[in-house]
Amino acid sequence: MNKSRAVITMDSGQSHVAFTTNVPVICGFTVVRPEVRIPYRKDAITIPIVPEENKCRFCQSDWNIDTKAICPRKMENPECVDEMTANKFIDALRIVTGR
């Protein structure tokens, strides 16, 4: 991972490994607020991708519940996931690569 030009991931084990490097990290956050998870990295770029404000984003941060891969608010199609569009990640990658 340390030899990558950038890492694109959701908040997961992969993102936490990426955060131990100085590689630019583009990371999607749905159930936890990014400020709770993103570590300080000197001279490293981190771009959090978050859903628009809606009633379901950051549910784990709001309610401190374990999601177990199921929407804790029992939404069949959680808005927070639907709003994690490819364009948000592509725009962030353009910032990182300067293209």
Side-chain angles (χ1 to χ4, degrees):
M1 215 175 262
N2 199 35
K3 294 181 180 182
S4 302
R5 290 180 62 199
V7 174
I8 302 173
T9 184
M10 292 298 288
D11 182 23
S12 63
Q14 185 178 14
S15 67
H16 297 280
V17 172
F19 286 139
T20 67
T21 71
N22 282 331
V23 171
V25 177
I26 301 164
C27 186
F29 295 89
T30 54
V31 298
V32 177
R33 295 179 189 286
E35 58 268 19
V36 173
R37 295 280 174 110
I38 297 176
Y40 171 76
R41 301 185 313 139
K42 184 177 180 182
D43 301 323
I45 297 169
T46 302
I47 301 176
I49 307 295
V50 298
E52 304 301 322
E53 281 207 39
N54 63 47
K55 63 184 175 187
C56 79
R57 79 177 188 166
F58 309 141
C59 55
Q60 194 175 42
S61 291
D62 292 344
W63 298 101
N64 194 25
I65 53 179
D66 186 5
T67 61
K68 301 286 188 212
I70 299 169
C71 175
R73 296 197 173 135
K74 309 293 186 230
M75 298 177 80
E76 189 172 321
N77 297 306
E79 294 172 23
C80 63
V81 174
D82 290 343
E83 292 178 5
M84 301 305 285
T85 62
N87 284 339
K88 289 183 179 185
F89 289 88
I90 292 167
D91 291 345
L93 187 58
R94 285 187 177 128
I95 291 168
V96 169
T97 62
R99 297 183 186 178

